[in-house]
């Protein structure tokens, strides 16, 4: 086991933690009766706070892992094999995101429901990966610091100007495109500002890769993460208040009114610090497999909970109707089932895909055989049809 691989274990563990948090968060949020959503209850508030951390961590870790794989190979630019793989991955996530929102019953009627056009996690991560690749290709011939500078610049710009662009409806764009930028039509996530977290993860990955041989990497990284996390969580609002008083810019006042992006960014740094501190305990094979199976887990959970393709999911039957006594053990069971099915799928993924490919190839072969066999029959029917038509026309003329 190499040191380089060992340093990635805590990232896989973070991804596993984030996907499990997402599973229970979606289950409880979708099925818990509103009467139990009491913000004066400390237990509910703690759950709500940690649920808010999940998506920022997931986006940041996704950016970290992809960029780590992108820049560690010796090839540069379009010669980098990770560029083509990343493009395929990004497009794959976009495709799966739309497929999960398909309703077969509507499709049989020739309809695509409005929910099909909404944007979710997979769409944003897929597009974010393509965005990181774009930045990489545009800066590959520049000085080394340009790539990382552009990435952190994207994060700061998207987070600073969020109070302004979140009011825009982008009504001049088709809904299919506008849904990537606004929640006005019902999108759960939008590429702005969420690309900011992915870009931040990519930025951290660049620093991690640059100093990966240093024996002080983790002590320094942990100290910096704790310090930055503390400042963002507890001091960023005070900073924006001071900037507003000093400059009078309305933008800083707007950020101060809802400073969730920078506070959540602080939470991300604290989570990074915790997992780096505990990295020696993050080598459990099952945990690492869960971290490597996040896409499968997400797809399975979407089908079971929201009823992709059929609409017959748990959300349809138990929407906002469960008491905590049922919702909590239900969430644990839901996490277990989704994770178990995903790990089993990944275990037999190659075999399943080969069987699907074989079935598809067999169907195509049979279709071609049927086509070849039917050509003489169709030709004979065509000849007979023309003869009958000629006789009929002669009879009519007579």
């Amino acid at each position: 086991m190499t040191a380089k691989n060992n340093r990635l274990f805590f990232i896989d563990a973070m991804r596993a933690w984030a996907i499990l948090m997402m599973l229970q968060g979606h289950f409880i949020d979708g099925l818990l009766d509103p009467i139990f959503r009491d913000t004066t209850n400390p237990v509910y508030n703690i759950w709500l706070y940690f649920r808010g951390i999940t998506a920022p961590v997931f986006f940041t870790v996704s950016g970290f892992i992809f960029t780590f794989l992108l820049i560690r190979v010796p090839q540069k630019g379009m010669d980098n094999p990770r560029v083509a793989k990343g493009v395929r991955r990004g497009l794959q996530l976009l495709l799966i995101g739309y497929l999960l929102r398909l309703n077969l019953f509507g499709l049989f009627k020739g309809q695509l429901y409005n929910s099909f056009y909404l944007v979710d996690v997979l769409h944003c991560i897929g597009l974010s990966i393509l965005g990181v690749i774009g930045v990489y290709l545009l800066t590959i011939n520049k000085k080394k610091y340009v790539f990382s500078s552009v990435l952190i610049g994207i994060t700061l710009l998207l987070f600073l100007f969020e109070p302004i662009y979140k009011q825009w409806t982008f009504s001049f764009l088709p809904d299919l495109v506008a849904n990537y930028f606004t929640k006005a039509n019902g999108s759960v996530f939008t590429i702005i500002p969420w690309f900011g977290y992915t870009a931040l993860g990519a930025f951290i990955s660049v620093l991690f890769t640059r100093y990966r041989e240093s024996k002080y990497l983790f002590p320094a990284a942990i100290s910096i993460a704790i310090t930055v996390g503390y400042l963002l969580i507890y001091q960023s609002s005070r900073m924006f208040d001071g900037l507003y008083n000093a400059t009078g810019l309305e933008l800083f006042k707007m950020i101060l009114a809802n400073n969730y992006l920078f506070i959540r960014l602080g939470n991300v740094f604290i989570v990074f610090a915790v997992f780096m501190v505990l990295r020696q305990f993050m080598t459990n094979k099952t945990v690492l497999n869960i971290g490597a199976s996040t896409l499968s887990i997400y797809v399975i959970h979407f089908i079971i909970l929201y009823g992709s393709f059929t609409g017959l999911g748990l959300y349809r039957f138990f929407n906002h109707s469960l008491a905590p006594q049922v919702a909590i053990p239900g969430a644990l069971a839901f996490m277990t089932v989704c994770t178990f099915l995903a790990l089993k799928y990944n275990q037999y993924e190659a075999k399943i895909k080969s069987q699907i490919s074989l079935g598809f190839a067999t169907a195509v072969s049979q279709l071609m055989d049927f086509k070849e066999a039917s050509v003489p029959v169709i030709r004979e029917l065509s000849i007979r049809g023309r003869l009958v038509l000629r006789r009929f026309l002669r009879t009519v003329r007579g």
Side-chain angles (χ1 to χ4, degrees):
M1 184 181 299
T2 64
K4 186 183 292 187
N5 288 333
N6 186 49
R7 290 172 182 173
L8 275 179
F9 285 166
F10 81 95
I11 291 294
D12 286 327
M14 279 181 66
R15 189 159 60 163
W17 175 81
I19 194 69
L20 293 176
M21 286 287 291
M22 184 205 69
L23 291 180
Q24 63 85 19
H26 285 181
F27 186 94
I28 292 178
D29 182 67
L31 306 186
L32 183 67
D33 193 315
I35 197 173
F36 298 106
R37 299 168 191 263
D38 182 10
T39 53
T40 62
N41 185 319
V43 176
Y44 178 77
N45 270 342
I46 291 172
W47 172 83
L48 196 62
Y49 189 84
F50 274 92
R51 181 170 184 263
I53 297 173
T54 304
V57 170
F58 198 81
F59 274 86
T60 306
V61 170
S62 297
F64 182 103
I65 292 176
F66 174 75
T67 307
F68 178 84
L69 297 173
L70 177 69
I71 63 178
R72 74 174 182 171
V73 297
Q75 298 92 332
K76 303 296 180 183
M78 293 302 297
D79 293 330
N80 187 337
R82 285 289 169 181
V83 170
K85 289 182 179 179
V87 171
R88 286 196 298 270
R89 185 64 164 181
L91 295 177
Q92 179 193 38
L93 292 177
L94 287 169
L95 176 62
I96 294 174
Y98 282 115
L99 287 177
L100 288 176
R101 290 191 165 274
L102 270 181
N103 187 300
L104 294 179
F105 297 119
L107 203 59
F108 289 148
K109 298 176 184 177
Q111 294 179 336
L112 282 176
Y113 298 128
N114 290 335
S115 60
F116 172 78
Y117 300 102
L118 300 183
V119 172
D120 214 322
V121 171
L122 292 186
H123 302 81
C124 285
I125 292 181
L127 202 57
S128 295
I129 288 175
L130 297 177
V132 170
I133 292 173
V135 174
Y136 168 78
L137 292 176
L138 289 173
T139 60
I140 191 61
N141 294 322
K142 309 293 183 182
K143 293 183 179 179
K144 287 185 176 181
Y145 65 84
V146 175
F147 180 48
S148 55
S149 299
V150 172
L151 290 171
I152 194 64
I154 288 172
T155 301
L156 292 174
L157 286 174
L158 290 178
F159 286 9
L160 284 171
F161 291 95
E162 188 266 351
I164 295 176
Y165 63 70
K166 77 173 182 180
Q167 304 176 47
W168 302 344
T169 61
F170 296 89
S171 56
F172 59 92
L173 295 173
D175 287 350
L176 179 66
V177 179
N179 288 340
Y180 282 91
F181 303 99
T182 177
K183 294 182 179 180
N185 301 321
S187 288
V188 181
F189 289 88
T190 52
I191 192 63
I192 51 175
W194 288 97
F195 180 40
Y197 287 108
T198 308
L200 187 276
F203 170 78
I204 296 173
S205 180
V206 173
L207 296 181
F208 186 93
T209 304
R210 187 171 297 168
Y211 299 105
R212 65 184 179 275
E213 301 301 332
S214 172
K215 63 180 180 179
Y216 301 111
L217 172 63
F218 281 108
I222 292 168
S223 301
I224 293 171
I226 292 174
T227 302
V228 174
Y230 168 80
L231 291 174
L232 287 171
I233 295 171
Y234 297 105
Q235 302 299 324
S236 60
S237 293
R238 182 178 299 178
M239 180 192 72
F240 288 119
D241 186 39
L243 289 172
Y244 173 68
N245 291 330
T247 64
L249 288 176
E250 192 68 21
L251 174 63
F252 296 128
K253 184 178 180 180
M254 295 168 70
I255 296 173
L256 190 61
N258 188 18
N259 183 24
Y260 74 98
L261 287 173
F262 287 97
I263 290 175
R264 291 305 187 200
L265 193 58
N267 295 142
V268 170
F269 276 103
I270 296 298
V271 172
F272 261 88
V274 170
F275 276 84
M276 283 190 287
V277 168
L278 301 175
R279 66 189 180 280
Q280 299 299 331
F281 307 100
M282 301 297 177
T283 56
N284 181 274
K285 186 177 180 180
T286 301
V287 172
L288 299 179
N289 286 338
I290 292 173
S293 306
T294 52
L295 178 57
S296 302
I297 293 173
Y298 185 89
V299 170
I300 291 170
H301 113 280
F302 213 93
I303 294 172
I304 295 175
L305 185 60
Y306 299 113
S308 295
F309 311 120
T310 63
L312 303 176
L314 296 175
Y315 190 82
R316 176 171 181 173
F317 300 105
F318 303 105
N319 180 21
H320 294 166
S321 64
L322 300 184
Q325 297 88 334
V326 179
I328 294 174
L332 294 174
F334 179 66
M335 292 163 61
T336 303
V337 169
C338 291
T339 303
F340 174 79
L341 292 176
L343 293 178
K344 282 298 179 183
Y345 168 78
N346 285 356
Q347 183 179 350
Y348 300 104
E349 182 178 7
K351 185 176 180 179
I352 292 171
K353 287 184 176 180
S354 67
Q355 290 295 322
I356 293 174
S357 299
L358 179 61
F360 180 76
T362 301
V364 171
S365 177
Q366 291 179 347
L367 184 62
M368 295 301 294
D369 291 342
F370 174 77
K371 178 183 177 182
E372 291 178 6
S374 63
V375 167
V377 177
I378 295 173
R379 186 181 295 117
E380 181 66 23
L381 290 175
S382 176
I383 293 171
R384 290 179 179 274
R386 286 199 298 270
L387 289 173
V388 171
L389 183 60
R390 287 173 184 172
R391 291 171 184 172
F392 174 75
L393 291 174
R394 281 200 294 267
T395 302
V396 170
R397 289 171 186 165

